[in-house]
Amino acid sequence: QDCILGSKVLDSSFFRAEVMLQMAHEVGGDFYLMTELGKDKYIIACMDVSGKDISASLITGLVGGYFASLAHLEDCVPLTAADIITQLHAIFTEKTPDGYFIAGLIVFIDKANNDIEIFNMGYSPLCVISPEGGEKQIKIKNPSLPPIGLPNFEITDETIIKYPITKDLALFAFSDGLTDAQNQHGESFGEQRVYETLKNALKSDRKRTLEKMS
């Protein structure tokens, strides 16, 4: 599974992406992807497959294989971000038993068009960080799509979050593994504490923000 997931850092000429992952078990349904797809186009994805252990791990292999195949197909570049996700949904529903689904957040970065498209499919809220009035502001974007694999899955223009590529724009995503984490007293970390911790971390060196969230 480590081989399927690949590197935890993607450092391009104009942006940096980093993942922090700790499995609850030896294998599981956590999946991430950071790769270039065509000239000046990138995919950043965080996903959580329903189920645990071996069954979920096998499904992450299916998802990883799909994205790996795209990178080696000469005709993949003309596909839109919505096309790629819709095809993943079709393959997933065909190749997995009923009752499974994927909650996920996929970000497509197109440097040539200077835009970012974000698809939040039943994942945790996305934190969009941008400078306003000289200070970094955090805006919370809730999921706009159901998880992949559910019968009512359909992408429309209204369900896509779009941003132009601008200096100091940052995205922070997290799974329910962070909010459900408990201390020695059995208290869950919770979403509100995530936002508060992120806000405080942004006041210092942003390169250490992920470290402070761990």
Side-chain angles (χ1 to χ4, degrees):
Q1 192 168 11
D2 284 341
C3 183
I4 292 171
L5 295 175
S7 174
K8 294 184 179 180
V9 176
L10 173 59
D11 211 342
S12 79
S13 60
F14 69 103
F15 78 92
R16 176 182 173 87
E18 186 173 353
V19 169
M20 180 174 290
L21 174 65
Q22 182 175 346
M23 294 281 191
H25 305 282
E26 187 173 356
V27 294
D30 293 306
F31 175 85
Y32 68 85
L33 173 75
M34 298 190 295
T35 188
E36 186 173 5
L37 184 64
K39 181 176 175 56
D40 291 331
K41 294 183 179 181
Y42 301 83
I43 298 178
I44 312 295
C46 302
M47 297 183 178
D48 189 2
V49 177
S50 61
K52 299 291 184 184
D53 300 329
I54 298 298
S55 61
S57 178
L58 288 172
I59 294 176
T60 65
L62 171 67
V63 177
Y66 169 70
F67 283 115
S69 67
L70 284 179
H72 294 282
L73 293 176
E74 293 182 359
D75 61 347
C76 69
V77 176
L79 290 176
T80 67
D83 290 336
I84 291 172
I85 297 174
T86 300
Q87 286 188 2
L88 174 60
H89 168 73
I91 294 171
F92 181 86
T93 53
E94 179 183 344
K95 298 298 183 181
T96 59
D98 292 341
Y100 285 92
F101 59 87
I102 304 175
L105 177 77
I106 302 183
V107 179
F108 288 83
I109 303 171
D110 188 333
K111 184 180 180 182
N113 290 333
N114 197 52
D115 63 20
I116 300 171
E117 291 187 337
I118 302 167
F119 301 77
N120 192 335
M121 299 154 291
Y123 205 66
S124 299
L126 173 69
C127 299
V128 180
I129 304 158
S130 58
E132 293 183 13
E135 294 186 0
K136 296 173 183 176
Q137 303 294 325
I138 302 174
K139 294 182 179 179
I140 309 302
K141 297 292 183 178
N142 291 315
S144 55
L145 286 160
I148 291 174
L150 294 189
N152 59 336
F153 185 85
E154 181 182 5
I155 296 174
T156 64
D157 287 341
E158 291 73 23
T159 60
I160 306 174
I161 302 171
K162 299 181 180 181
Y163 283 95
I165 298 174
T166 57
K167 187 177 184 298
D168 290 330
L169 176 68
L171 307 176
F172 181 85
F174 56 92
S175 74
D176 57 7
L178 178 58
T179 54
D180 292 345
Q182 297 182 347
N183 61 18
Q184 64 270 30
H185 305 295
E187 300 170 336
S188 297
F189 196 68
E191 278 189 18
Q192 190 57 44
R193 194 171 297 175
V194 171
Y195 304 142
E196 292 173 357
T197 305
L198 179 59
K199 185 176 181 180
N200 290 332
L202 289 172
K203 295 177 182 178
S204 58
D205 184 358
R206 71 179 185 179
K207 292 183 179 180
R208 297 189 59 198
T209 297
L210 275 179
E211 297 175 11
K212 293 187 177 184
M213 296 297 293
S214 63

